[in-house]
């Protein structure tokens, strides 16, 4: 990444011996231009790539864990190790060892060999691409590793600053993924964690060592409140239904919206009122945005009206035995649905 003159390079790929640069605008052939590199990105990639070489070499030397692939991620990198299990003790020992090598200021050098040089066979490699031409590139970490590689690297392990192994994740096909950060990414991670810690200290009103316990207490409180709120909603649903049924002249249409409700709230009302004669249109959620709806009533009426109600509300739904319910994206159109239902009832009772 970088600039050719003032034209940004979006990506570079290799086609045989050619490095093909992708740019958003045409360049004049033969023009003299200044090339500028996105150095922050390049140095980050150098740190992660050299860090991967070092970790892979030490993991194989110490424990016999071979690296089968690796991924340079935007925020963290992952090395796939050909082993089903890596213990926490092994991770700690590996982290100590790689950081010792960084403190030893071990040189990293790059050399080129002819493709038919016998030494190529002795260098750690996953093999050459089928379309490779010209010499092969070998990256040496003095006394530690020698590896075929076309990537960019630091010139000394001290440029890595530090490596942090974040832990293990289960990989594919009985393998294990080792997650790591190198260099400036470690500093950025510490800064991000510190800022998060400061924010939590302010919100929770206690020190970092008490954050976890404070969050546990909050979770317990929220669960209790949710349980109490659900019980209250159930009671309200029953009272609404009983109030409706207590009216001397039963209505053929019952419409209700409650922002705090849920599917159970609507179904309790429908169960309590009964839907043999009354058509019910119930909604819960934000009045002007998304929510849930329930249409209940005589089976034939619901089968006829349900899909049209869902369409008006910009949502989807399904139903059976006199109930049609689903999600609504346009709750602000509830008035149009109510008009549709009233028109339907008026036609049923001229």
């Amino acid at each position: 990444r970088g600039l050719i003159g003032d034209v940004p390079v979006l990506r570079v790929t290799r086609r045989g011996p050619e490095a093909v640069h992708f740019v958003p605008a045409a360049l004049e052939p033969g023009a003299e231009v200044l090339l500028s590199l996105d150095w922050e990105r390049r140095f980050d990639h150098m740190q992660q790539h050299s860090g991967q070489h070092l970790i892979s070499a030490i993991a194989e030397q110490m424990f016999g864990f071979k690296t089968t692939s690796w991924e340079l991620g935007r925020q963290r990198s992952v090395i796939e190790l050909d082993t089903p299990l890596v213990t926490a003790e092994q991770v700690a020992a590996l982290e100590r060892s790689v950081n010792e090598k960084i403190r030893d200021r071990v040189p990293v050098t790059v050399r080129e060999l002819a493709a038919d040089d016998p030494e190529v066979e002795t260098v750690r490699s996953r093999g050459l691409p089928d379309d490779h031409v010209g010499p092969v590139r070998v990256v040496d970490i003095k006394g530690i590793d020698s590896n075929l590689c076309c990537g960019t690297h630091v010139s000394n392990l001290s440029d890595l600053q530090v490596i942090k192994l974040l832990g293990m994740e289960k990989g594919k096909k009985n393998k294990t993924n080792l997650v790591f950060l190198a260099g400036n990414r470690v500093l950025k991670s510490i800064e991000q964690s510190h800022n998060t810690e400061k924010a939590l200290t302010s919100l929770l009103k206690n020190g970092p060592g008490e954050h976890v316990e404070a969050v546990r207490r909050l979770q317990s409180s929220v669960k209790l409140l949710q349980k109490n709120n659900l019980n209250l909603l159930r009671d309200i649903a029953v009272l609404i239904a009983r109030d409706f049924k207590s009216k001397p002249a039963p209505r053929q249409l019952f419409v209700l919206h409650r922002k705090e409700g849920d599917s159970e709230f609507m179904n309790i009302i429908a169960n309590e009122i009964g839907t043999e004669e009354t058509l019910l249109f119930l909604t819960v959620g934000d009045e002007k945005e998304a929510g849930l709806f329930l249409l209940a009533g005589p089976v034939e009426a619901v089968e006829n009206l349900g899909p049209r109600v869902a369409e008006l509300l910009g949502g989807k739904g399904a139903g059976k035995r006199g109930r049609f319910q689903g999600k609504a994206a346009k709750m602000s159109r509830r008035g149009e649905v109510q008009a549709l239902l009233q028109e339907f009832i008026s036609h049923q009772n001229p």
Side-chain angles (χ1 to χ4, degrees):
R1 299 284 177 85
L3 298 171
I4 301 176
D6 58 356
V7 178
V9 177
L10 304 178
R11 69 185 182 98
V12 182
T13 189
R14 183 184 63 80
R15 291 179 184 166
E18 302 292 337
V20 182
H21 293 59
F22 290 80
V23 292
L27 296 164
E28 183 183 347
E32 186 173 301
V33 293
L34 177 67
L35 304 180
S36 55
L37 184 69
D38 182 346
W39 176 248
E40 183 179 355
R41 183 175 184 271
R42 166 62 65 85
F43 187 60
D44 172 60
H45 287 189
M46 290 162 62
Q47 287 186 319
Q48 309 316 309
H49 201 165
S50 296
Q52 177 266 314
H53 277 222
L54 176 61
I55 296 167
S56 292
I58 300 299
E60 187 167 350
Q61 290 171 16
M62 291 181 70
F63 308 112
F65 299 152
K66 292 186 179 296
T67 293
T68 48
S69 69
W70 86 289
E71 178 190 4
L72 171 58
R74 291 182 181 274
Q75 295 181 327
R76 63 180 201 164
S77 298
V78 179
I79 298 172
E80 184 185 67
L81 298 175
D82 193 11
T83 178
L85 177 66
V86 180
T87 67
E89 291 76 17
Q90 288 172 325
V91 172
L94 180 58
E95 182 176 278
R96 284 195 300 270
S97 182
V98 296
N99 282 294
E100 285 172 4
K101 303 302 181 187
I102 292 172
R103 291 193 296 273
D104 289 342
R105 297 178 54 81
V106 177
V108 181
T109 56
V110 176
R111 56 196 171 97
E112 292 184 347
L113 300 174
D116 58 356
D117 191 317
E119 188 180 347
V120 172
E121 299 299 323
T122 67
V123 177
R124 187 163 62 89
S125 168
R126 287 189 292 156
L128 292 170
D130 294 336
D131 62 347
H132 174 79
V133 294
V136 296
R137 194 163 172 271
V138 180
V139 177
D140 292 313
I141 303 176
K142 187 176 180 181
I144 298 173
D145 186 44
S146 187
N147 195 352
L148 255 61
C149 184
C150 63
T152 54
H153 291 269
V154 299
S155 58
N156 192 290
L157 289 186
S158 63
D159 290 332
L160 298 183
Q161 301 166 274
V162 65
I163 286 176
K164 178 60 185 173
L165 305 183
L166 297 179
M168 314 305 302
E169 296 175 352
K170 186 176 181 180
K172 300 176 182 177
K173 298 179 180 178
N174 221 25
K175 297 180 181 180
T176 302
N177 293 331
L178 173 62
V179 184
F180 77 94
L181 303 174
N184 289 333
R185 291 194 181 190
V186 178
L187 300 179
K188 289 179 181 178
S189 178
I190 292 172
E191 181 180 13
Q192 184 179 24
S193 296
H194 180 64
N195 289 337
T196 301
E197 192 175 87
K198 284 170 57 180
L200 286 173
T201 297
S202 176
L203 288 169
L204 300 173
K205 309 300 182 186
N206 59 15
E210 300 170 296
H211 285 174
V212 173
E213 185 55 37
V215 171
R216 285 201 184 104
R217 289 196 299 271
L218 282 173
Q219 287 178 325
S220 297
S221 298
V222 168
K223 286 179 181 178
L224 181 61
L225 288 171
Q226 288 174 331
K227 183 178 179 181
N228 291 339
N229 185 54
L230 185 60
N231 289 333
L232 289 171
L233 275 174
R234 288 169 178 162
D235 292 343
I236 291 171
V238 171
L239 289 172
I240 289 172
R242 288 178 180 174
D243 178 67
F244 175 80
K245 292 171 71 175
S246 68
K247 298 290 191 290
R251 286 174 285 169
Q252 290 181 291
L253 177 64
F254 179 71
V255 177
L256 177 73
H257 174 80
R258 189 176 185 89
K259 186 175 182 179
E260 304 82 7
D262 58 11
S263 293
E264 185 180 7
F265 172 78
M266 294 188 294
N267 277 296
I268 289 174
I269 293 176
N271 291 338
E272 289 290 324
I273 290 178
T275 55
E276 292 81 4
E277 299 178 359
T278 305
L279 192 60
L280 284 77
F281 174 53
L282 310 174
T283 54
V284 295
D286 194 298
E287 291 90 341
K288 296 182 179 180
E289 295 182 13
L292 304 174
F293 73 92
L294 169 65
L295 181 69
V299 174
E300 186 177 346
V302 171
E303 287 179 352
N304 178 25
L305 294 167
R308 295 165 65 187
V309 169
E311 184 180 359
L312 276 175
L313 294 174
K316 294 181 179 179
K320 58 183 178 180
R321 293 194 292 275
R323 295 202 184 181
F324 191 99
Q325 55 190 338
K327 294 181 179 179
K330 300 175 181 177
M331 295 289 279
S332 58
R333 300 180 69 178
R334 297 192 321 278
E336 296 176 48
V337 174
Q338 185 171 347
L340 170 70
L341 300 179
Q342 287 173 335
E343 182 182 1
F344 174 82
I345 290 172
S346 67
H347 281 98
Q348 297 294 309
N349 304 289

